[in-house]
Amino acid sequence: MKNLKYLSYKLREDCVNIIMAGGGGHIGGDMSVMEILTDLYFRQMNISPENPEDPDRDLFILSKGHSMEAYYAVLCEKGFLKLEEVTREFSKFGSKYIGHPNNKLPGIEMNSGSLGHGLPVAVGMALAVKMDKKPNRVYVVTGDGELAEGSNWEGAMSGAMYGLDNLVWIVDRNRLQISGGTEDVMALEDLKKKVESFGWKVLTADGNDIDALDGAFEKARQTKGCPTCIIANTIKGKGSPVMENKAGWHHHLPTETEYASIMKDLEERKEALANE
């Protein structure tokens, strides 16, 4: 897993550069979700940029669509998009590279960003492929603050009712949202028990640890008869003390000084991982 750990920090650098070029972005959540996206796209999911419409491909929804800059970095590295073009055109007037998923781009299954919609749509996708007796697995990432939206819980009820063991819901549990701490804005705990009460298999993992995530995804593959939720405990702004666990970095454009510090921290982390 060392290469994927290293890659997650290289992708953080790409993400920060996309944000700097575009004049802003949801940098805190980008950093917290990076290992989740890295493990899914480079280890877990059956997808190919050479055949993006493969009917047997695994399906992914980034419900917390405001973390699009991280998603761009991953899609570019995977070969669906070109990093130079995305960086140059991100968030510019008339650009197709907007701040939320745009399913007119290759590799993106669903427009998202209006929170609470991703899980219900993922349930529909998982039910459809199961009815067709197809091998596709469906993955959806939500934020934790997003779970204040009731449509998530309607999706949770449906996913369990239909026994969707081809569905994996990952909660980016960084405990911060735009208004502050999740437990102050709309308390979620005990989140594990809540989701279990809906009939899901619930796993917890360090969401910034590739090895831990990979183990959770493998357990999800072995689960039969019900969907799986992985509560991925993460750090908002993961990668640099400049950003980490700071609600003000939910959406932020780094100053030049902040940018230099962040990139130095990310480079040092990459070097440490390269030498492990």
CSV table of all heavy atoms in Angstrom, one decimal, residues 86-133:
chain,number,residue,atom,x,y,z
A,86,VAL,N,-7.6,20.7,-16.7
A,86,VAL,CA,-8.4,21.0,-15.5
A,86,VAL,C,-7.9,22.2,-14.7
A,86,VAL,O,-8.7,23.1,-14.3
A,86,VAL,CB,-8.5,19.7,-14.6
A,86,VAL,CG1,-9.3,20.1,-13.3
A,86,VAL,CG2,-9.3,18.6,-15.4
A,87,THR,N,-6.6,22.2,-14.5
A,87,THR,CA,-6.0,23.3,-13.7
A,87,THR,C,-6.2,24.6,-14.4
A,87,THR,O,-6.5,25.6,-13.7
A,87,THR,CB,-4.5,23.0,-13.4
A,87,THR,OG1,-4.4,21.7,-12.8
A,87,THR,CG2,-3.9,24.0,-12.5
A,88,ARG,N,-6.0,24.6,-15.7
A,88,ARG,CA,-6.1,25.9,-16.4
A,88,ARG,C,-7.5,26.4,-16.5
A,88,ARG,O,-7.7,27.6,-16.4
A,88,ARG,CB,-5.6,25.6,-17.8
A,88,ARG,CG,-5.6,26.9,-18.7
A,88,ARG,CD,-5.1,26.6,-20.1
A,88,ARG,NE,-5.9,25.7,-20.9
A,88,ARG,CZ,-5.5,24.4,-21.2
A,88,ARG,NH1,-4.3,24.0,-20.9
A,88,ARG,NH2,-6.4,23.7,-21.9
A,89,GLU,N,-8.5,25.5,-16.5
A,89,GLU,CA,-9.9,25.9,-16.8
A,89,GLU,C,-10.8,25.8,-15.6
A,89,GLU,O,-11.9,26.3,-15.7
A,89,GLU,CB,-10.4,25.1,-17.9
A,89,GLU,CG,-9.7,25.3,-19.2
A,89,GLU,CD,-10.3,24.5,-20.4
A,89,GLU,OE1,-11.5,24.0,-20.2
A,89,GLU,OE2,-9.6,24.3,-21.4
A,90,PHE,N,-10.3,25.3,-14.5
A,90,PHE,CA,-11.2,25.1,-13.3
A,90,PHE,C,-11.8,26.4,-12.9
A,90,PHE,O,-11.1,27.4,-12.6
A,90,PHE,CB,-10.4,24.4,-12.2
A,90,PHE,CG,-11.2,24.4,-10.9
A,90,PHE,CD1,-12.4,23.7,-10.8
A,90,PHE,CD2,-10.8,25.1,-9.8
A,90,PHE,CE1,-13.1,23.6,-9.6
A,90,PHE,CE2,-11.5,25.0,-8.6
A,90,PHE,CZ,-12.7,24.3,-8.5
A,91,SER,N,-13.1,26.4,-12.7
A,91,SER,CA,-13.9,27.5,-12.2
A,91,SER,C,-13.8,28.8,-13.0
A,91,SER,O,-14.2,29.8,-12.5
A,91,SER,CB,-13.4,27.8,-10.7
A,91,SER,OG,-14.5,28.3,-10.0
A,92,LYS,N,-13.4,28.7,-14.2
A,92,LYS,CA,-13.4,29.8,-15.1
A,92,LYS,C,-14.8,30.0,-15.8
A,92,LYS,O,-15.6,29.0,-15.9
A,92,LYS,CB,-12.4,29.7,-16.2
A,92,LYS,CG,-10.9,29.6,-15.7
A,92,LYS,CD,-10.5,30.8,-14.9
A,92,LYS,CE,-9.0,30.8,-14.6
A,92,LYS,NZ,-8.6,29.7,-13.7
A,93,PHE,N,-15.2,31.2,-16.2
A,93,PHE,CA,-16.5,31.4,-16.8
A,93,PHE,C,-16.7,30.5,-18.0
A,93,PHE,O,-15.8,30.5,-18.9
A,93,PHE,CB,-16.6,32.9,-17.2
A,93,PHE,CG,-17.9,33.2,-17.8
A,93,PHE,CD1,-19.1,33.3,-17.1
A,93,PHE,CD2,-18.0,33.4,-19.2
A,93,PHE,CE1,-20.3,33.6,-17.6
A,93,PHE,CE2,-19.2,33.6,-19.8
A,93,PHE,CZ,-20.4,33.8,-19.0
A,94,GLY,N,-17.8,29.8,-18.0
A,94,GLY,CA,-18.1,29.0,-19.2
A,94,GLY,C,-17.4,27.6,-19.2
A,94,GLY,O,-17.6,26.8,-20.1
A,95,SER,N,-16.6,27.3,-18.2
A,95,SER,CA,-15.8,26.1,-18.2
A,95,SER,C,-16.7,24.9,-17.8
A,95,SER,O,-17.7,25.0,-17.0
A,95,SER,CB,-14.7,26.2,-17.2
A,95,SER,OG,-14.0,24.9,-17.0
A,96,LYS,N,-16.4,23.7,-18.4
A,96,LYS,CA,-17.1,22.5,-18.0
A,96,LYS,C,-16.5,22.0,-16.7
A,96,LYS,O,-17.1,21.1,-16.0
A,96,LYS,CB,-17.0,21.5,-19.1
A,96,LYS,CG,-15.6,21.1,-19.4
A,96,LYS,CD,-15.6,20.2,-20.7
A,96,LYS,CE,-14.1,19.9,-21.1
A,96,LYS,NZ,-14.1,19.1,-22.4
A,97,TYR,N,-15.4,22.5,-16.2
A,97,TYR,CA,-14.7,22.0,-15.0
A,97,TYR,C,-15.2,22.9,-13.8
A,97,TYR,O,-14.5,23.9,-13.4
A,97,TYR,CB,-13.2,22.0,-15.1
A,97,TYR,CG,-12.7,21.2,-16.2
A,97,TYR,CD1,-12.1,21.7,-17.4
A,97,TYR,CD2,-12.9,19.8,-16.2
A,97,TYR,CE1,-11.7,20.9,-18.4
A,97,TYR,CE2,-12.4,19.0,-17.2
A,97,TYR,CZ,-11.9,19.5,-18.3
A,97,TYR,OH,-11.4,18.7,-19.4
A,98,ILE,N,-16.4,22.6,-13.4
A,98,ILE,CA,-17.0,23.4,-12.3
A,98,ILE,C,-16.7,22.9,-10.9
A,98,ILE,O,-16.0,21.9,-10.8
A,98,ILE,CB,-18.6,23.5,-12.6
A,98,ILE,CG1,-19.2,22.1,-12.6
A,98,ILE,CG2,-18.8,24.3,-13.9
A,98,ILE,CD1,-20.7,22.1,-12.9
A,99,GLY,N,-17.3,23.5,-9.9
A,99,GLY,CA,-17.0,23.2,-8.6
A,99,GLY,C,-17.7,22.0,-8.0
A,99,GLY,O,-17.6,21.7,-6.8
A,100,HIS,N,-18.5,21.3,-8.8
A,100,HIS,CA,-19.3,20.2,-8.4
A,100,HIS,C,-19.2,19.1,-9.5
A,100,HIS,O,-19.0,19.5,-10.7
A,100,HIS,CB,-20.7,20.5,-8.1
A,100,HIS,CG,-20.9,21.3,-6.8
A,100,HIS,ND1,-21.0,20.8,-5.6
A,100,HIS,CD2,-20.9,22.7,-6.6
A,100,HIS,CE1,-21.1,21.7,-4.6
A,100,HIS,NE2,-21.0,22.9,-5.2
A,101,PRO,N,-19.5,17.9,-9.3
A,101,PRO,CA,-19.5,16.9,-10.3
A,101,PRO,C,-20.4,17.2,-11.5
A,101,PRO,O,-21.5,17.6,-11.3
A,101,PRO,CB,-19.9,15.6,-9.6
A,101,PRO,CG,-19.5,15.8,-8.2
A,101,PRO,CD,-19.7,17.3,-7.9
A,102,ASN,N,-19.9,17.0,-12.7
A,102,ASN,CA,-20.6,17.3,-13.9
A,102,ASN,C,-20.6,16.0,-14.8
A,102,ASN,O,-19.5,15.6,-15.3
A,102,ASN,CB,-19.9,18.4,-14.7
A,102,ASN,CG,-20.4,18.7,-16.1
A,102,ASN,OD1,-21.5,18.1,-16.4
A,102,ASN,ND2,-19.7,19.5,-16.8
A,103,ASN,N,-21.7,15.4,-14.9
A,103,ASN,CA,-21.7,14.0,-15.6
A,103,ASN,C,-21.6,14.1,-17.1
A,103,ASN,O,-21.6,13.1,-17.8
A,103,ASN,CB,-22.9,13.2,-15.2
A,103,ASN,CG,-24.2,13.8,-15.7
A,103,ASN,OD1,-24.3,14.8,-16.3
A,103,ASN,ND2,-25.3,13.1,-15.3
A,104,LYS,N,-21.3,15.3,-17.6
A,104,LYS,CA,-20.9,15.4,-19.0
A,104,LYS,C,-19.4,15.1,-19.2
A,104,LYS,O,-19.0,15.0,-20.3
A,104,LYS,CB,-21.2,16.8,-19.5
A,104,LYS,CG,-22.7,17.1,-19.6
A,104,LYS,CD,-23.0,18.5,-20.3
A,104,LYS,CE,-24.5,18.7,-20.5
A,104,LYS,NZ,-25.2,18.7,-19.3
A,105,LEU,N,-18.7,15.0,-18.1
A,105,LEU,CA,-17.3,14.6,-18.1
A,105,LEU,C,-17.1,13.1,-18.0
A,105,LEU,O,-17.9,12.5,-17.2
A,105,LEU,CB,-16.5,15.3,-17.0
A,105,LEU,CG,-16.5,16.9,-17.0
A,105,LEU,CD1,-15.8,17.4,-15.8
A,105,LEU,CD2,-15.8,17.4,-18.3
A,106,PRO,N,-16.1,12.5,-18.6
A,106,PRO,CA,-15.9,11.1,-18.5
A,106,PRO,C,-15.6,10.7,-17.1
A,106,PRO,O,-14.8,11.4,-16.4
A,106,PRO,CB,-14.8,10.8,-19.5
A,106,PRO,CG,-14.1,12.1,-19.7
A,106,PRO,CD,-15.2,13.2,-19.5
A,107,GLY,N,-16.1,9.6,-16.7
A,107,GLY,CA,-15.8,9.0,-15.3
A,107,GLY,C,-16.8,9.5,-14.2
A,107,GLY,O,-16.7,9.0,-13.1
A,108,ILE,N,-17.6,10.4,-14.5
A,108,ILE,CA,-18.6,11.0,-13.5
A,108,ILE,C,-20.0,10.5,-13.8
A,108,ILE,O,-20.5,10.7,-14.9
A,108,ILE,CB,-18.5,12.5,-13.5
A,108,ILE,CG1,-17.1,13.0,-13.1
A,108,ILE,CG2,-19.6,13.0,-12.5
A,108,ILE,CD1,-16.9,14.5,-13.0
A,109,GLU,N,-20.6,9.8,-12.9
A,109,GLU,CA,-21.9,9.1,-13.1
A,109,GLU,C,-23.0,10.1,-12.8
A,109,GLU,O,-24.1,9.9,-13.3
A,109,GLU,CB,-22.0,7.9,-12.1
A,109,GLU,CG,-20.9,6.9,-12.3
A,109,GLU,CD,-21.0,6.1,-13.6
A,109,GLU,OE1,-22.0,6.2,-14.3
A,109,GLU,OE2,-20.1,5.3,-13.9
A,110,MET,N,-22.8,11.0,-11.9
A,110,MET,CA,-24.0,11.8,-11.4
A,110,MET,C,-23.6,13.2,-11.0
A,110,MET,O,-22.5,13.4,-10.4
A,110,MET,CB,-24.6,11.1,-10.2
A,110,MET,CG,-25.7,11.9,-9.5
A,110,MET,SD,-26.2,11.2,-7.9
A,110,MET,CE,-27.0,12.6,-7.2
A,111,ASN,N,-24.3,14.2,-11.4
A,111,ASN,CA,-24.2,15.6,-10.9
A,111,ASN,C,-24.5,15.5,-9.4
A,111,ASN,O,-25.6,14.9,-9.0
A,111,ASN,CB,-25.0,16.6,-11.6
A,111,ASN,CG,-24.7,16.7,-13.1
A,111,ASN,OD1,-23.7,16.2,-13.5
A,111,ASN,ND2,-25.5,17.4,-13.8
A,112,SER,N,-23.8,16.2,-8.6
A,112,SER,CA,-24.1,16.2,-7.1
A,112,SER,C,-23.7,17.5,-6.6
A,112,SER,O,-23.1,18.4,-7.3
A,112,SER,CB,-23.5,15.0,-6.4
A,112,SER,OG,-22.1,15.0,-6.4
A,113,GLY,N,-23.9,17.7,-5.3
A,113,GLY,CA,-23.6,19.0,-4.7
A,113,GLY,C,-24.8,19.5,-3.9
A,113,GLY,O,-24.6,20.1,-2.8
A,114,SER,N,-26.0,19.3,-4.3
A,114,SER,CA,-27.2,19.5,-3.5
A,114,SER,C,-27.3,18.3,-2.6
A,114,SER,O,-27.6,17.2,-2.9
A,114,SER,CB,-28.4,19.6,-4.4
A,114,SER,OG,-29.6,19.9,-3.6
A,115,LEU,N,-26.9,18.6,-1.3
A,115,LEU,CA,-26.6,17.5,-0.4
A,115,LEU,C,-27.8,16.6,-0.1
A,115,LEU,O,-28.9,17.1,0.0
A,115,LEU,CB,-26.0,18.1,0.9
A,115,LEU,CG,-24.7,18.8,0.7
A,115,LEU,CD1,-24.2,19.5,2.0
A,115,LEU,CD2,-23.6,17.9,0.2
A,116,GLY,N,-27.5,15.4,0.2
A,116,GLY,CA,-28.5,14.4,0.6
A,116,GLY,C,-29.0,13.6,-0.5
A,116,GLY,O,-29.8,12.7,-0.3
A,117,HIS,N,-28.6,13.8,-1.8
A,117,HIS,CA,-29.2,13.1,-2.9
A,117,HIS,C,-28.4,11.8,-3.3
A,117,HIS,O,-28.9,10.9,-3.9
A,117,HIS,CB,-29.3,14.0,-4.1
A,117,HIS,CG,-30.3,15.1,-4.0
A,117,HIS,ND1,-30.4,16.1,-4.9
A,117,HIS,CD2,-31.1,15.4,-3.0
A,117,HIS,CE1,-31.4,17.0,-4.5
A,117,HIS,NE2,-31.8,16.5,-3.3
A,118,GLY,N,-27.1,11.8,-3.0
A,118,GLY,CA,-26.2,10.8,-3.5
A,118,GLY,C,-26.6,9.4,-3.0
A,118,GLY,O,-26.6,8.4,-3.8
A,119,LEU,N,-26.9,9.2,-1.7
A,119,LEU,CA,-27.2,7.9,-1.2
A,119,LEU,C,-28.5,7.4,-1.8
A,119,LEU,O,-28.5,6.2,-2.2
A,119,LEU,CB,-27.2,7.9,0.3
A,119,LEU,CG,-27.6,6.6,1.0
A,119,LEU,CD1,-26.6,5.5,0.6
A,119,LEU,CD2,-27.6,6.7,2.5
A,120,PRO,N,-29.6,8.1,-1.8
A,120,PRO,CA,-30.8,7.6,-2.5
A,120,PRO,C,-30.6,7.2,-3.9
A,120,PRO,O,-31.1,6.1,-4.4
A,120,PRO,CB,-31.8,8.7,-2.4
A,120,PRO,CG,-31.3,9.6,-1.2
A,120,PRO,CD,-29.8,9.5,-1.2
A,121,VAL,N,-29.8,7.9,-4.7
A,121,VAL,CA,-29.5,7.6,-6.1
A,121,VAL,C,-28.7,6.3,-6.1
A,121,VAL,O,-28.9,5.4,-7.0
A,121,VAL,CB,-28.9,8.7,-6.8
A,121,VAL,CG1,-28.4,8.3,-8.2
A,121,VAL,CG2,-29.8,9.9,-7.0
A,122,ALA,N,-27.7,6.2,-5.2
A,122,ALA,CA,-26.9,5.0,-5.2
A,122,ALA,C,-27.7,3.8,-4.9
A,122,ALA,O,-27.5,2.7,-5.4
A,122,ALA,CB,-25.8,5.2,-4.2
A,123,VAL,N,-28.7,3.9,-4.0
A,123,VAL,CA,-29.6,2.8,-3.7
A,123,VAL,C,-30.3,2.4,-5.0
A,123,VAL,O,-30.5,1.2,-5.3
A,123,VAL,CB,-30.6,3.2,-2.6
A,123,VAL,CG1,-31.8,2.2,-2.5
A,123,VAL,CG2,-29.9,3.3,-1.3
A,124,GLY,N,-30.8,3.4,-5.7
A,124,GLY,CA,-31.5,3.0,-7.0
A,124,GLY,C,-30.6,2.3,-8.0
A,124,GLY,O,-31.0,1.3,-8.6
A,125,MET,N,-29.4,2.8,-8.1
A,125,MET,CA,-28.4,2.1,-9.0
A,125,MET,C,-28.1,0.7,-8.6
A,125,MET,O,-28.1,-0.2,-9.4
A,125,MET,CB,-27.1,2.9,-9.0
A,125,MET,CG,-27.1,4.2,-9.7
A,125,MET,SD,-25.5,5.1,-9.6
A,125,MET,CE,-25.7,6.4,-10.7
A,126,ALA,N,-27.9,0.5,-7.2
A,126,ALA,CA,-27.6,-0.8,-6.7
A,126,ALA,C,-28.8,-1.8,-6.9
A,126,ALA,O,-28.6,-3.0,-7.2
A,126,ALA,CB,-27.2,-0.7,-5.3
A,127,LEU,N,-30.0,-1.3,-6.7
A,127,LEU,CA,-31.2,-2.1,-6.9
A,127,LEU,C,-31.3,-2.5,-8.4
A,127,LEU,O,-31.6,-3.6,-8.7
A,127,LEU,CB,-32.4,-1.3,-6.4
A,127,LEU,CG,-33.7,-2.1,-6.6
A,127,LEU,CD1,-33.7,-3.4,-5.9
A,127,LEU,CD2,-34.9,-1.2,-6.1
A,128,ALA,N,-31.1,-1.5,-9.3
A,128,ALA,CA,-31.2,-1.8,-10.7
A,128,ALA,C,-30.2,-2.9,-11.2
A,128,ALA,O,-30.6,-3.9,-11.9
A,128,ALA,CB,-31.0,-0.5,-11.5
A,129,VAL,N,-29.0,-2.8,-10.8
A,129,VAL,CA,-28.0,-3.8,-11.2
A,129,VAL,C,-28.3,-5.2,-10.6
A,129,VAL,O,-28.0,-6.2,-11.2
A,129,VAL,CB,-26.5,-3.3,-11.1
A,129,VAL,CG1,-26.3,-2.1,-11.9
A,129,VAL,CG2,-26.2,-3.1,-9.6
A,130,LYS,N,-28.8,-5.1,-9.3
A,130,LYS,CA,-29.1,-6.4,-8.7
A,130,LYS,C,-30.3,-7.1,-9.4
A,130,LYS,O,-30.3,-8.3,-9.6
A,130,LYS,CB,-29.4,-6.2,-7.2
A,130,LYS,CG,-29.7,-7.5,-6.4
A,130,LYS,CD,-29.7,-7.2,-4.9
A,130,LYS,CE,-28.4,-7.2,-4.3
A,130,LYS,NZ,-27.7,-8.6,-4.2
A,131,MET,N,-31.3,-6.3,-9.7
A,131,MET,CA,-32.4,-6.9,-10.5
A,131,MET,C,-32.0,-7.4,-11.8
A,131,MET,O,-32.6,-8.4,-12.3
A,131,MET,CB,-33.5,-5.8,-10.7
A,131,MET,CG,-34.2,-5.4,-9.4
A,131,MET,SD,-35.3,-4.0,-9.6
A,131,MET,CE,-36.6,-4.8,-10.5
A,132,ASP,N,-31.0,-6.8,-12.4
A,132,ASP,CA,-30.5,-7.3,-13.7
A,132,ASP,C,-29.5,-8.4,-13.5
A,132,ASP,O,-28.9,-8.9,-14.5
A,132,ASP,CB,-29.8,-6.2,-14.5
A,132,ASP,CG,-30.9,-5.2,-15.0
A,132,ASP,OD1,-32.1,-5.6,-15.2
A,132,ASP,OD2,-30.5,-4.0,-15.4
A,133,LYS,N,-29.2,-8.8,-12.3
A,133,LYS,CA,-28.2,-9.9,-12.0
A,133,LYS,C,-26.9,-9.6,-12.6
A,133,LYS,O,-26.2,-10.4,-13.1
A,133,LYS,CB,-28.7,-11.2,-12.4
A,133,LYS,CG,-30.0,-11.7,-11.7
A,133,LYS,CD,-30.5,-13.0,-12.2
A,133,LYS,CE,-31.6,-13.6,-11.3
A,133,LYS,NZ,-32.7,-12.7,-11.1
